[in-house]
Amino acid sequence: MGYHCIVLVKQVPDTANITGDAMKEDGTVNRAALPAIFNPEDIHALEAALEIKDRFGGTVTVITMGPPKAADVLRASLYRGADRAILLTDRRAAGSDTLATSYILSQAVATVENYDFVFCGRQAIDGDTAQVGPQCAEKLGIPQVTYLEKIIDVQGKKATLRRNIGGGWEDVETPLPVLVTVIESANTPRPVSAKRYMKNKYKRVPLEFAPDAPEAAEAEAQGDMLEQWGLDEIHADLQRCGFAGSPTKVFRIQSIVLKKEGFASVEPTEEGIRGLVHELIEDRTLG
Amino acid sequence: MTSENNQNGEVWVFAEQDNGKLQDVVLELCGRARELADKLGVKVGAVLPGSKVDHLAAALYSHGVDRVYLVDDPRLEFFTSLPYAEAVIRLIRKYAPQIVLYGATPLGRDMAPRIASATRSGLTADCTDLQISDVTDAKTKEVAKDLLLQIRPAFGGNIIATIINPAGWPQMATVREGVMPMKEADPSRSGELFREICDLEDALFGVKVISRCKEEKKVNLKAARIIVAGGGGVGSRENFRLLFDLAGALGGAVGASRAAVDGGYIDHDYQVGQTGTTVRPALYIACGISGAVQHRVGMQDSAKIIAINNDPNAPIFSVAHYGIVGDLNEVIPMMIKAVKERN
Ligand SMILES: Cc1cc2nc3c(=O)[nH]c(=O)nc-3n(C[C@H](O)[C@H](O)[C@H](O)COP(=O)(O)OP(=O)(O)OC[C@H]3O[C@@H](n4cnc5c(N)ncnc54)[C@H](O)[C@@H]3O)c2cc1C
């Protein structure tokens, strides 16, 4: 039996690698030019679930929401040890803010059923909002434990967890099911297992095949088809999804005009820098 | 979505306290809440859950609060998400404030989304500015009166996005510590204390704090007169030594960009920017920092900025007063030497 863990993961543009090539003329980011990666903290969330499975027994289900390409993070999760992977994809989910996103994800979790833990990364690097985890917990009507540092123990329907409280920690005891958000210091994610890689590398979601491609039927026959759900499968109220379900609206996007006043170029030489230090002492910035 | 927008609603601040001490960010937010409320012609309220925390009301009044909604319950001594969130949710339902502001602290970021979910209201994270303005809908030409403009850098580029919640009130936002400068306290101001009985059910207290260890914050960037900040260009944890040396010579503190934090060169406590600390020192020296907008919003109000970067086109130069195009590994030692000569 053991514990059933659901992990919510996201594929994100690699914001750490925004280079000149990834910028458009108008100064916005060309997402297509950025590599898409497994959101870093979500890998730690997956590891926490796998740790529960290793230490206390159970299964791990991974859910992601995104375009068909996001199935990459599902495969990456299967390579590391997840047992089941589901892609949530639906055009009508486009434009969802965190509230609508958490509604959709919580409907998916509720559809999977019978879970003891829901793990997510604390936040995704493309927004840093850290909202979706707690919002899902509220929608599922379960407690939340944020910023997991360590899984201390799980016994029966209770878990003892250490959480980071910003300059310190705290140990809490929580009833199950619980939603837990995970930070990087919680664990060291295991590497991809070669065996699991071989076993799962051909797994695809239906939308990754061209319509009516014979390969699709083949994948189905081989057991290589991953689950793909839309909003209907999770019985979502469309009024709560996408733009309609998102109270926050972008009113205006402005590019910033940088002020260019009183700029002095300083030579990178001993001479130049001595002059600068002298100037800063004179105007009392230093000393 | 939620019921009618309450145009007469108050502007609220969540009064986060730890161990009977208010967080600085709360008092910073009170100052801005006061300005927003004056513009709207309404009162400022502060929601204060905790155990034996009545004494904090005075500080809230002196920073601009008119009404303190106190939820005093011995079970609220330590924060846990459900009862704290539930107390705020019930007060929101009872009084229908139009705006609720939270510090973007670990606690605020845990609790505010839970409240937003329950009240189905919009919540914008890490705002760098908040204003009140009428907004005309581009399509319908309908004017929404006095909306809260929630301003924050958008992902990538030199872009600032303004977010609004035309429906789904209260309009809620989180703000990092230091973003809003703290106004001077006016001890002569007073206010009204509302003792709220929330009847929080035992079931909300399922999560129990067993033990807790909290250290005083080691890093206090906000108080530093001089900050030497390093970015991705510093390249390693070992190399950050250079910055500590320069900061030592100048009697300043060390700061960092997110690239330096993500690279593991230094802890998150040192991060300057939208999702770190906002600073306004007399002198900010940016070493190997490109100057992405999320970083600039946290340091551009420094009185003097020196940028050291080997890329002459790095955006940091456009906010700097002094620019040094060069390798930080050469420039910083020269600077340390020049400062030591002077001392
Ligand atoms: C939601 C969100 C929130 C964010 N919040 C923050 C935040 O709070 N704070 C923050 O800082 N960032 C934040 N960022 C990240 C931000 O967009 C940038 O990615 C980050 O600031 C880049 O840091 P950097 O300039 O140090 O690194 P890089 O982009 O790696 O730049 C390194 C710079 O160093 C220069 N350099 C390299 N070697 C040398 C050398 N030897 N000598 C001199 N110069 C050298 C390079 O020319 C380059 O300009 C956020 C991003 C997002 C999406």
Side-chain angles (χ1 to χ4, degrees), chain B:
Chain B
M1 224 152 276
T2 35
S3 51
E4 287 288 281
N5 294 338
N6 177 13
Q7 298 275 359
N8 301 318
E10 298 174 353
V11 177
W12 278 12
V13 174
F14 172 72
E16 175 180 346
Q17 51 84 25
D18 186 47
N19 231 334
K21 206 176 156 288
L22 284 171
Q23 298 282 352
D24 279 356
V25 66
V26 172
L27 301 177
E28 294 164 11
L29 285 175
C30 288
R32 179 52 64 95
R34 181 75 261 160
E35 289 167 10
L36 299 174
D38 287 344
K39 187 112 200 263
L40 295 164
V42 299
K43 289 193 158 73
V44 174
V47 188
L48 176 59
S51 171
K52 304 203 184 78
V53 288
D54 348 12
H55 63 284
L56 297 176
L60 294 166
Y61 300 144
S62 67
H63 280 88
V65 172
D66 302 306
R67 293 177 157 185
V68 170
Y69 301 95
L70 174 72
V71 187
D72 205 329
D73 186 323
R75 296 171 302 171
L76 295 176
E77 179 181 359
F78 292 117
F79 169 79
T80 53
S81 317
L82 263 68
Y84 265 66
E86 190 58 32
V88 181
I89 292 163
R90 290 193 189 165
L91 293 179
I92 288 176
R93 294 205 169 118
K94 179 168 169 191
Y95 293 101
Q98 58 178 305
I99 293 173
V100 186
L101 307 177
Y102 306 83
T105 59
L107 187 159
R109 284 154 53 83
D110 172 296
M111 183 194 66
R114 190 145 187 135
I115 297 168
S117 177
T119 57
R120 296 201 201 171
S121 35
L123 173 66
T124 304
D126 300 323
C127 293
T128 53
D129 197 5
L130 297 167
Q131 293 166 11
I132 301 289
S133 169
D134 293 349
V135 171
T136 312
D137 188 293
K139 278 196 219 109
T140 63
K141 300 288 170 228
E142 254 175 69
V143 180
K145 274 202 77 62
D146 289 338
L147 289 190
L148 178 69
L149 305 188
Q150 302 146 47
I151 299 165
R152 78 188 298 259
F155 162 62
N158 287 318
I159 303 286
I160 293 277
T162 302
I163 314 289
I164 51 172
N165 312 344
W169 283 20
Q171 308 162 88
M172 310 212 290
T174 70
V175 178
R176 294 267 166 177
E177 182 179 328
V179 171
M180 311 283 169
M182 197 188 295
K183 300 266 161 58
E184 215 167 306
D186 173 1
S188 69
R189 274 195 98 253
S190 64
E192 288 173 273
L193 183 68
F194 289 66
R195 287 181 188 276
E196 298 292 335
I197 310 293
C198 280
D199 288 326
L200 299 168
E201 302 85 342
D202 284 339
L204 293 166
F205 293 87
V207 175
K208 293 194 170 59
V209 177
I210 322 172
S211 55
R212 195 164 187 265
C213 164
K214 184 135 191 181
E215 297 133 30
E216 275 304 304
K217 241 200 312 188
K218 288 171 289 194
V219 193
N220 189 359
L221 283 178
K222 272 195 311 175
R225 242 194 111 249
I226 297 175
I227 295 174
V228 180
V234 178
S236 68
R237 197 172 184 102
E238 295 70 55
N239 219 26
F240 241 85
R241 207 45 280 154
L242 263 182
L243 304 209
F244 280 98
D245 290 346
L246 177 57
L250 291 168
V254 168
S257 73
R258 190 169 99 170
V261 173
D262 287 351
Y265 311 162
I266 195 160
D267 296 344
H268 180 264
D269 292 352
Y270 294 85
Q271 183 176 313
V272 171
Q274 184 201 359
T275 52
T277 309
T278 294
V279 297
R280 297 175 182 78
L283 177 63
Y284 190 88
I285 309 182
C287 313
I289 294 180
S290 61
V293 62
Q294 292 89 357
H295 187 78
R296 293 199 314 261
V297 291
M299 48 66 77
Q300 63 197 3
D301 292 336
S302 306
K304 284 262 156 63
I305 298 169
I306 302 177
I308 306 171
N309 198 303
N310 57 12
D311 171 8
N313 297 318
I316 191 75
F317 287 123
S318 31
V319 293
H321 304 93
Y322 299 96
I324 309 175
V325 177
D327 184 343
L328 64 92
N329 298 300
E330 290 162 19
V331 174
I332 295 179
M334 286 191 239
M335 203 175 266
I336 294 172
K337 193 167 158 224
V339 172
K340 285 196 172 149
E341 278 170 9
R342 283 276 155 184
N343 289 348

Side-chain angles (χ1 to χ4, degrees), chain A residues 4 14 39 72 117 138 243 268 281 287:
Chain A
H4 180 200
D14 187 359
N39 181 53
D72 286 344
F117 291 91
E138 192 280 330
F243 287 108
I281 290 171

Side-chain angles (χ1 to χ4, degrees), chain A:
Chain A
M1 254 294 294
Y3 296 95
H4 180 200
C5 301
I6 297 180
V7 192
L8 305 177
V9 302
K10 184 179 185 189
Q11 189 177 47
V12 293
D14 187 359
T15 55
N17 280 314
I18 302 182
T19 57
D21 310 336
M23 303 299 284
K24 291 194 253 177
E25 287 281 293
D26 60 358
T28 58
V29 170
N30 179 7
R31 281 184 183 239
L34 282 178
I37 58 168
F38 204 132
N39 181 53
E41 287 182 335
D42 298 354
I43 304 184
H44 295 269
L46 172 64
E47 181 60 34
L50 294 172
E51 182 185 334
I52 297 273
K53 179 176 155 180
D54 290 350
R55 285 174 60 186
F56 310 101
T59 54
V60 174
T61 300
V62 176
I63 304 176
T64 192
M65 174 168 132
K69 193 181 162 352
D72 286 344
V73 294
L74 296 181
R75 283 182 286 273
S77 304
L78 293 169
Y79 301 159
R80 289 190 161 83
D83 301 290
R84 181 180 175 193
I86 303 163
L87 174 73
L88 271 176
T89 192
D90 198 311
R91 291 233 160 87
R92 295 168 296 178
S96 294
D97 69 2
T98 64
L99 189 74
T101 300
S102 66
Y103 170 69
I104 298 169
L105 287 171
S106 63
Q107 286 293 114
V109 170
T111 307
V112 171
E113 282 188 322
N114 295 325
Y115 52 89
D116 302 291
F117 291 91
V118 180
F119 286 104
C120 4
R122 170 190 50 172
Q123 62 192 26
I125 57 170
D126 57 348
D128 274 11
T129 72
Q131 291 177 0
V132 169
Q135 288 179 328
C136 279
E138 192 280 330
K139 295 207 148 59
L140 293 166
I142 61 175
Q144 67 199 44
V145 174
T146 49
Y147 327 133
L148 177 76
E149 280 277 4
K150 193 172 160 190
I151 299 164
I152 297 174
D153 197 16
V154 183
Q155 273 188 23
K157 284 282 168 196
K158 267 204 164 83
T160 312
L161 306 172
R162 174 165 297 177
R163 61 186 293 265
N164 184 296
I165 50 174
W169 51 263
E170 136 188 308
D171 290 346
V172 298
E173 193 181 85
T174 175
L176 304 182
V178 63
L179 182 141
V180 180
T181 78
V182 182
I183 59 178
E184 289 194 0
S185 50
N187 51 42
T188 312
R190 66 197 61 196
V192 164
S193 126
K195 215 169 103 207
R196 299 195 57 97
Y197 173 74
M198 294 311 290
K199 190 166 151 229
N200 291 295
K201 66 177 177 178
Y202 295 117
K203 297 250 161 94
R204 295 284 178 277
V205 296
L207 272 175
E208 286 180 287
F209 296 98
D212 303 319
E215 292 83 358
E218 213 170 287
E220 194 79 64
Q222 299 281 327
D224 278 343
M225 201 65 104
L226 293 173
E227 288 167 87
Q228 174 187 307
W229 293 356
L231 294 179
D232 301 327
E233 280 84 350
I234 58 172
H235 312 290
D237 171 356
L238 295 182
Q239 279 309 306
R240 297 182 66 180
C241 304
F243 287 108
S246 300
T248 59
K249 312 280 176 205
V250 177
F251 161 53
R252 174 162 77 196
I253 295 277
Q254 287 159 299
S255 13
I256 309 169
V257 189
L258 296 170
K259 50 174 189 220
K260 194 70 169 147
E261 50 182 73
F263 178 80
S265 184
V266 177
E267 284 304 309
T269 58
E270 302 236 345
E271 197 72 8
I273 287 166
R274 220 176 270 135
L276 169 61
V277 169
H278 180 73
E279 204 172 314
L280 293 173
I281 290 171
E282 289 286 286
D283 73 9
R284 296 184 180 278
T285 300
L286 296 183

